[in-house]
Amino acid sequence: MTRTTSAHTTAARTGRVERSTSESSVLVELNLDGSGATEISTGVPFYDHMLTALGKHSLMDLRVQATGDVHIDSHHTVEDVAICIGEALKQALGDKAGIGRFGDAMVPLDEALAQCVVDVSGRPYFVHTGEPTGQATHLIGGNFAGSLTAHALESIAHHAGICVHMRVLAGRDPHHIVEAQFKALARALRAAVAPDARVKGIPSTKGAL
């Protein structure tokens, strides 16, 4: 496996990660201070839809270009893209000075309702609850298993070094259940990474995140 990353600068909160393995080749570029512009191509159409929603509702510009062995299974590509998004987020956040740090969002999509709470803590953790029985094994869009939702979100959290609590509070349609979660993560991240003029330095009593 090879990976290259670019250095974070204080002038722009951006991240760029490339990851290449025998299973996939991934490029992720993001800008935390964007407008929600996206360019997504993973070879997994439903995942493209979810990542477009992630960029749009977080207001980060997000470019994802990936190819992988989706003829075998979409798992490898979904996971590897999520790893790269997490690493690019961590890179873009830099020392995390001046941010709000915490974000909480509750997002509905028709009958589905998801709540996401984020702490840009530097300590990766992921809690996922509430999906209905059968959601994990449901195939959405032909090649996106419901179980990949938690796997993708967990991979982002762990590689970004953030704590994410995701709760599905209601839902019936598998598509809506997944989309509400990605949108909730987007809105929680949007709040957590936003600069706050009242925050001086690192938002932690320890002086580091």
Side-chain angles (χ1 to χ4, degrees):
M1 178 182 72
T2 59
R3 182 186 290 117
T4 61
T5 61
S6 61
H8 170 81
T9 66
T10 56
R13 296 194 303 165
T14 61
R16 185 180 191 278
V17 174
E18 292 184 73
R19 187 176 193 269
S20 181
T21 72
S22 61
E23 297 169 341
S24 71
S25 179
V26 181
L27 167 65
V28 168
E29 296 176 330
L30 62 82
N31 178 3
L32 292 180
D33 301 308
S35 61
T38 58
E39 182 185 338
I40 313 292
S41 178
T42 67
V44 184
F46 182 73
Y47 195 35
D48 290 356
H49 182 41
M50 295 302 99
L51 295 181
T52 298
L54 178 65
K56 179 70 173 181
H57 295 287
S58 66
L59 291 183
M60 67 177 173
D61 294 341
L62 179 62
R63 179 179 177 228
V64 178
Q65 299 294 317
T67 57
D69 54 2
V70 294
H71 60 289
I72 297 174
D73 189 276
S74 59
H75 180 103
H76 296 146
T77 298
V78 170
E79 177 182 48
D80 291 349
V81 166
I83 288 170
C84 291
I85 290 174
E87 291 183 350
L89 273 170
K90 184 174 183 179
Q91 188 184 122
L93 283 163
D95 64 6
K96 309 176 186 73
I99 65 169
R101 177 176 168 177
F102 301 99
D104 182 356
M106 189 176 294
V107 174
L109 179 54
D110 297 345
E111 88 298 341
L113 181 64
Q115 181 184 31
C116 183
V117 182
V118 167
D119 177 9
V120 183
S121 60
R123 299 184 306 278
Y125 208 88
F126 181 69
V127 178
H128 186 254
T129 61
E131 284 190 344
T133 301
Q135 176 71 14
T137 57
H138 195 94
L139 200 61
I140 307 169
N143 63 348
F144 187 94
S147 60
L148 290 175
T149 305
H151 190 52
L153 298 179
E154 182 175 37
S155 296
I156 291 172
H158 280 201
H159 288 269
I162 62 179
C163 175
V164 174
H165 282 248
M166 181 71 73
R167 294 195 301 161
V168 176
L169 302 174
R172 181 182 61 254
D173 182 276
H175 181 143
H176 293 174
I177 290 167
V178 179
E179 189 166 344
Q181 292 179 73
F182 272 89
K183 288 179 176 177
L185 174 63
R187 291 302 298 244
L189 275 174
R190 177 173 164 178
V193 307
D196 187 330
R198 295 172 298 172
V199 176
K200 305 303 179 184
I202 310 299
S204 170
T205 55
K206 296 183 293 188
L209 289 174

